[in-house]
Amino acid sequence: MSHLVFVETSGSGVKAIEYAKRTGHTVTYLYSPRYDFTASPEQRRLARELADRTAELPDVHDPEDLLATLRAAGTRPGDVDAVLSTLAFCVPHAASLADLIGARGTPLEGVATARDKGRSRRALEESGVASLAFSVVGSLDEALAAADRIGYPVIVKPVLGVGKGATTIAHGPAEVRDHFEGLIGNLDRLPAGMSAHFDERFIVEELAIGDLYSVEVASDGRSFVPLVSTIQKTGLHNAVLELGCTVPGTLDDTTERELGDYAAQVCRTLGLTLGVFHVEMIRTAEGFRLTEANPRMAGGALPETVNAVADQDMFAILVDLFLGGDMPLAPLRLSGSASHSLLAAAETSIVRDDLAPGWFDPFFERLHSGWARLDPGGRVDAMRGNFDRFGMIRAVDTDPARAAETCAAVKADIERFLGIPLVQEAGHRSPLPAVPTPSA
Ligand SMILES: Nc1ncnc2c1ncn2[C@@H]1O[C@H](COP(=O)(O)OP(=O)(O)O)[C@@H](O)[C@H]1O
Ligand SMILES: [Mg+2]
């Protein structure tokens, strides 16, 4: 049996800890309350209960701090087989610790390249992998010059970190100016666990037009295989917001292969050579173009949406790969379709006073799974990024269009019931093909 160290976890990633324990491994879990905002209190508690050993991470300044925390948990570095993280913010820590103690982990260099959006694009360019025009900038003047060179519309994103709150789509110089002027306030409003990941740099990129897809790519250090792809739901009024996904994405076989090959090639080029990686691409008229390669598996609801219909478990694949197991049979075989939508407020709102404890239960009848956390009379903040959601709904069906439609219908009913305007989803450019409903 092996010993795994998790440096923090995403909410759904607790399932990876659960799997590791179920299969008889020893788990050390290093956590920090600064990431409490990323999951429910129950999930945070469960991760600590499941782990054999735990210790609280201090503010990490260098890899030695991680080693000290590992020792504080009572774990000897020599006993550790692998170190990983399912939480974006802590993937660099996991890679550093693995490197320092000589355990299996995603290579530091690959993680550093992938999480730096400028370095990623440079690496793709140098290897001749299709990418988008870009420039890394440190000031408004540099951003304006870059946008002029690239041509509007552009998108301005933080080079590091998960930064939807500090990301702007600009159709002209005025919006680039607004981006930099609004910045101070925007960063102030982010939790410390998130804002600590910003530096002064932004990337100005050509705005890709088309549907957004994601692929989970698995690598055992030698080969790269696309496991499963999804089509993503994005915001109607703010395309930067990610609002859910549907699996399968229903591309034809040739295009699906093209998508998987491209995502795998991106991971190979960036040096993401051990783990499962969440790669996001837009299908433009010229072909797929990377928007972001994450040096970790998808967070949020996506892995469980895949698991709802797949023949293999995403969390089991992840843990087994880190422990040197065989590559999974790919692509995953799906027995149906699944779709999930996040519930998030379009504007900061107050929850109705008369909200009964079981208000969400009737909606379950049409759903596979889901959750909602609202307090009567409480406040829900307007969505600015991935973590500003108050619930999630998931539907499973024989075809993707119907699964997606059920999500949309339930979401509309929840919106009506709560009287809170929810963030609207944009339609896909290539609609999901609907299977005709059998006549009664
Ligand atoms: N170059 C681009 N063209 C069009 N849309 C983009 C581009 N880059 C990012 N986006 C949109 O913005 C969202 C957030 O950008 P992303 O690079 O994934 O950052 P984050 O780290 O915040 O997830 C993406 O999911 C996509 O919808
Ligand atoms: Mg992203």
Side-chain angles (χ1 to χ4, degrees):
M1 286 300 116
S2 304
H3 192 140
L4 272 156
V5 177
F6 286 82
V7 184
E8 266 300 351
T9 177
S10 64
S12 60
V14 179
K15 293 255 152 77
I17 299 179
E18 218 162 31
Y19 170 80
K21 281 314 303 164
R22 204 166 57 240
T23 44
H25 302 299
T26 304
V27 169
T28 296
Y29 170 51
L30 310 182
Y31 66 92
S32 165
R34 60 162 38 187
Y35 303 111
D36 282 350
F37 72 93
T38 61
S40 71
E42 295 75 30
Q43 285 169 318
R44 303 288 293 161
R45 203 173 316 122
L46 182 59
R48 285 166 63 175
E49 279 167 14
L50 286 166
D52 299 281
R53 301 172 197 164
T54 62
E56 187 175 325
L57 283 162
D59 219 351
V60 177
H61 297 292
D62 62 64
E64 292 295 333
D65 296 338
L66 292 160
L67 186 57
T69 315
L70 186 70
R71 291 213 167 95
T75 298
R76 282 201 307 263
D79 292 344
V80 175
D81 296 284
V83 185
L84 75 160
S85 181
T86 45
L87 187 67
F89 307 112
C90 292
V91 171
H93 291 337
S96 300
L97 183 57
D99 186 67
L100 185 67
I101 66 177
R104 291 169 66 85
T106 309
L108 251 183
E109 196 59 19
V111 170
T113 306
R115 70 186 281 268
D116 181 315
K117 289 175 170 136
R119 256 175 89 170
S120 297
R121 292 234 181 267
R122 257 188 310 276
L124 297 186
E125 229 171 50
E126 281 161 14
S127 307
V129 179
S131 180
L132 297 167
F134 77 102
S135 226
V136 173
V137 301
S139 67
L140 169 61
D141 287 344
E142 286 176 20
L144 288 168
D148 261 348
R149 183 182 62 76
I150 293 165
Y152 289 96
V154 294
I155 183 165
V156 188
K157 319 192 278 193
V159 166
L160 301 177
V162 182
K164 308 262 161 24
T167 297
T168 302
I169 292 174
H171 295 87
E175 284 157 302
V176 176
R177 263 189 215 105
D178 288 350
H179 173 88
F180 282 86
E181 273 153 23
L183 211 58
I184 315 291
N186 277 341
L187 291 184
D188 280 355
R189 278 185 281 152
L190 295 175
M194 199 184 267
S195 61
H197 290 260
F198 285 106
D199 60 9
E200 305 286 296
R201 298 171 304 148
F202 283 86
I203 184 168
V204 180
E205 285 180 4
E206 172 186 354
L207 189 75
I209 309 293
D211 289 330
L212 180 65
Y213 290 85
S214 79
V215 175
E216 304 309 299
V217 176
S219 175
D220 61 355
R222 291 178 294 277
S223 54
F224 299 81
V225 297
L227 293 175
V228 63
S229 75
T230 74
I231 186 164
Q232 298 277 316
K233 302 173 185 179
T234 53
L236 175 62
H237 301 295
N238 179 2
V240 159
L241 296 177
E242 296 164 352
L243 296 173
C245 73
T246 302
V247 59
T250 64
L251 295 167
D252 62 59
D253 289 351
T254 311
T255 317
E256 180 71 37
R257 243 192 323 274
E258 195 188 312
L259 171 66
D261 289 349
Y262 178 70
Q265 195 184 15
V266 165
C267 291
R268 189 182 299 115
T269 306
L270 301 184
L272 293 175
T273 51
L274 180 68
V276 176
F277 306 107
H278 179 65
V279 186
E280 299 173 333
M281 290 133 300
I282 288 179
R283 187 186 182 197
T284 71
E286 283 78 44
F288 291 102
R289 293 291 181 272
L290 179 78
T291 50
E292 185 187 29
N294 293 281
R296 48 144 183 106
M297 193 166 92
L302 188 151
E304 287 167 279
T305 296
V306 170
N307 284 352
V309 289
D311 63 340
Q312 296 169 75
D313 180 282
M314 294 291 297
F315 302 105
I317 291 174
L318 180 75
V319 167
D320 291 347
L321 272 175
F322 269 92
L323 292 178
D326 291 336
M327 278 287 254
L329 284 174
L332 304 188
R333 276 196 303 247
L334 306 177
S335 61
S337 307
S339 186
H340 78 259
S341 285
L342 299 183
L343 303 175
E347 48 198 68
T348 299
S349 311
I350 299 298
V351 182
R352 50 194 274 186
D353 281 325
D354 62 349
L355 194 71
W359 73 271
F360 194 57
D361 297 346
F363 295 106
F364 269 126
E365 282 165 28
R366 287 178 282 163
L367 298 174
H368 167 274
S369 45
W371 58 271
R373 255 195 316 277
L374 285 178
D375 298 319
R379 198 176 102 136
V380 254
D381 287 326
M383 184 184 210
R384 296 170 66 240
N386 297 359
F387 298 106
D388 307 315
R389 71 277 188 254
F390 65 81
M392 184 277 303
I393 53 177
R394 181 183 288 117
V396 165
D397 211 309
T398 47
D399 90 337
R402 267 212 302 267
E405 273 161 26
T406 302
C407 274
V410 173
K411 185 171 152 179
D413 289 348
I414 291 176
E415 181 172 42
R416 252 189 308 276
F417 172 79
L418 291 173
I420 290 176
L422 302 185
V423 181
Q424 299 299 301
E425 294 163 11
H428 300 311
R429 271 155 228 266
S430 35
L432 300 167
V435 171
T437 313
S439 48

